[in-house]
Amino acid sequence: MNIYDLAIIGGGPAGYTAAKLAGKNRLKTVLFEKNNIGGVCLNEGCIPTKTLLYSAKVYQSARDAAKYGVSCGATAYDLPKIIARKNKIVRKLSAGIRARMHEAGVETVTGEAIIRAKGERHEAQAIKCNGQIYLADKLLLCTGSETVIPPIPGLSETGFWTGREALETKEVPESLLIIGGGVIGIEFASFFNTLGAKVTVVEMTDEILTGMDKALSALLRNELSKKGIEFHLNAMVVSVNGRQIEIEKAGEKSVSEVSKILLSVGRKAVLTGFGLETLNLELFGNGLKVNGYMQTSCPGVYACGDITGFSLLAHTAVREAEIAVGHILGKNEKMSYKAVPGVIYTHPEMAGAGKTEEALRSENVAYTVKQLPMAYSGRFVAENEQGNGICKILESEDGTILGVHILGNPASEIIAIAGIAIEKGWKAGDLKAVIFPHPTVGEIIKETL
Ligand code: NAI
């Protein structure tokens, strides 16, 4: 029988980060993954979508080249080649993770791991995989999340894409109806719109991108509307019958005809199918309850990533894995969710870190708003012909930076500056005292303060 210091179930960003760190720190570690290493993030989430969105951006840049004094002639895209490039990148990064596991001395097992009840003869956690029993002193659960499928009449019979199928398509649908205006829905809306599909988004709340700054979400929606995406807010798809989609908005029903449906109404923690019930763990909200060290209610069992059900972001999962393994190694560092960046990789990009105005109002926290158009950054103006955008900073009464929200490229890159300031509890003056390189778009943060 194999005995390990740490067994990890799930090889996504939480699982492989934890495995690498544990292995490097000489913990005898086994990592179980039933599919490809890298999880949803690498295989059918973050990386593939960003790869496709980058192809769309290059195509758009070629079409816009004349605005920058460059002539490109006729522009065209080749979707099978875009998808093939995406697959090549996923394979390359996947091989990189496998190599890192090997370097760290982690044993990676491809197969479905099932947690077994503790036997009388041993105190360790027992996991069965491929007919073998593995015993481990500590167990880390990183099984991730799966797509929520709502019970919309006729939807399953008609068939629909989730992000997984949309990433594999060889053809751009003539028209695409996206159910759910969250992160996945809006990123795919941007991609397929750029490639020429007629895209409609149906969102049940009063604004897209719940959880992001509401005013900036409305501005992004406006930018995407100008590109031809149609939005139905406060609306629900009530039934599907082949190409006919029945939408209800303010009590009124209408029928649209579309060639494809993409479902993106959220994801939920994976809590079944791997013997979790034998541990009888406490739940919290839609996931497993954990404390600041990522410990579950069962001694020796930790959980990180989407299985905890509240952040559902790869970068949160990575930090949680660092905290969990740190704790196993005897460190006392607690998880902080103060400055988790949220990023929408549309064109233009949008990103936020820290509190939104909506969150501060609901928590009754007094704050002031500082805001500037992105055009105050020379670099932004140089690189974004006719581009709009905003940088908004929320401060407490004593000047502590509580939240930063940016619409405009490359928000995804510069938001990390804000994340550092918020995480460290910096005041506006602390960040203003830092020298930013000039000209960079990131200077907009310093300018806004
Ligand atoms: P989401 O929770 O971001 O958005 C789902 C949206 O669907 C919400 O706005 C909700 O109001 C709406 N909705 C729910 N039921 C509906 C219905 N029946 N009809 C119409 N609208 C409905 O979920 P999404 O976009 O599926 O993404 C899942 C997770 O993946 C997110 O939690 C996100 O954090 C993560 N993700 C992150 C990315 C990033 O950081 N760039 C990219 C892709 C996914």
Side-chain angles (χ1 to χ4, degrees), residues 69-257:
V70 176
S71 166
C72 272
T75 50
Y77 64 82
D78 182 333
L79 189 56
K81 280 191 183 157
I82 291 176
I83 303 289
R85 175 175 177 272
K86 180 265 294 177
N87 293 340
K88 184 187 73 183
I89 285 167
V90 170
R91 279 197 304 276
K92 184 174 171 179
L93 295 178
S94 185
I97 296 174
R98 282 196 301 274
R100 275 184 266 157
M101 294 302 103
H102 183 73
E103 281 158 23
V106 173
E107 184 176 336
T108 306
V109 178
T110 305
E112 198 155 5
I114 309 285
I115 302 165
R116 306 292 298 256
K118 274 189 182 176
E120 283 175 7
R121 289 180 293 118
H122 54 77
E123 264 309 294
Q125 298 295 337
I127 295 116
K128 190 173 184 186
C129 188
N130 301 333
Q132 274 206 54
I133 297 288
Y134 297 77
L135 292 181
D137 188 32
K138 300 280 190 302
L139 175 61
L140 174 56
L141 307 171
C142 308
T143 53
S145 62
E146 61 192 359
T147 304
V148 170
I149 314 279
I152 298 174
L155 182 65
S156 298
E157 294 81 352
T158 296
F160 57 89
W161 279 346
T162 64
R164 180 184 293 164
E165 293 78 26
L167 284 168
E168 295 306 323
T169 184
K170 298 278 185 320
E171 276 176 25
V172 174
E174 194 185 314
S175 55
L176 176 67
L177 182 111
I178 299 180
I179 310 179
V183 191
I184 294 181
I186 297 305
E187 289 187 353
F188 275 113
S190 180
F191 175 69
F192 283 108
N193 165 260
T194 306
L195 296 196
K198 166 151 185 28
V199 178
T200 306
V201 177
V202 178
E203 166 55 47
M204 76 178 183
T205 66
D206 63 355
E207 192 48 85
I208 60 168
L209 301 168
T210 310
M212 300 296 287
D213 180 275
K214 204 168 177 178
L216 263 61
S217 298
L219 280 175
L220 175 61
R221 177 169 51 76
N222 198 30
E223 288 296 312
L224 297 176
S225 298
K226 284 189 221 158
K227 294 174 189 234
I229 300 177
E230 193 178 314
F231 290 92
H232 294 283
L233 302 180
N234 296 310
M236 299 271 289
V237 169
V238 286
S239 72
V240 176
N241 184 3
R243 291 167 65 103
Q244 313 275 326
I245 316 291
E246 194 181 13
I247 299 169
E248 189 173 328
K249 196 171 166 179
E252 304 249 310
K253 287 185 180 168
S254 62
V255 174
S256 296
E257 200 169 301

Side-chain angles (χ1 to χ4, degrees), residues 25 49 108 138 186 261 274 346 378 435-436 442:
N25 282 282
T49 48
T108 306
K138 300 280 190 302
I186 297 305
I261 298 171
F274 59 101
T346 37
I435 299 174
F436 283 57

